[in-house]
């Protein structure tokens, strides 16, 4: 049965789909594990993660019926990638620019 995935040119597609699924799962678990310490309660973190998934789970079936599975999956992967890039940039920007009250060390004017 598994041999059929690698016959007659299907190996390339099988490896590409496997790689995309591996990366998607790796990112999913990375985000889930990264968000867990942010909550004080592990149960609250699990509830928040499950609640965040509901819109995607509910909307995927009608979207896949309307656009097709490939387009729907591509749309969801691109949306997830954009969200992760946005969150990464927000965290990077936040850590690169500390609050103003912490960065003011002196009130004297700088003379050049």
């Amino acid at each position: 049965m598994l041999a059929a995935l690698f016959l007659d040119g299907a190996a390339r597609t099988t490896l590409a789909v496997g790689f995309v699924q591996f990366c998607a799962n790796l990112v999913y678990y990375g985000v889930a594990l990264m968000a867990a310490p942010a909550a004080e309660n592990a149960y609250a973190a699990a509830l928040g993660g499950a609640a965040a998934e509901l819109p995607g789970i509910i909307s995927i079936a009608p979207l896949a019926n309307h656009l097709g599975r490939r387009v729907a999956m591509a749309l969801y992967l691109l949306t997830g990638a954009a969200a992760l890039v946005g969150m990464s940039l927000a965290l990077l920007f936040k850590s690169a620019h500390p609050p103003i009250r912490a960065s003011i060390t002196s009130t004297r004017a700088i003379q050049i």
Side-chain angles (χ1 to χ4, degrees), residues 22-100:
F22 175 77
C23 290
N25 287 328
L26 190 68
V27 168
Y28 176 80
Y29 286 113
V31 170
L33 292 175
M34 184 176 66
E40 293 179 13
N41 187 348
Y43 295 110
L47 179 65
E53 288 182 32
L54 281 178
I57 292 170
I58 292 170
S59 66
I60 189 67
L63 193 63
N65 285 337
H66 183 68
L67 298 176
R69 288 182 299 174
R70 287 185 181 184
V71 175
M73 181 59 81
L75 184 64
Y76 273 78
L77 288 174
L78 289 174
T79 303
L84 286 173
V85 167
M87 288 189 325
S88 299
L89 290 175
L91 288 173
L92 180 67
F93 183 74
K94 181 180 176 183
S95 64
H97 300 286
I100 292 173

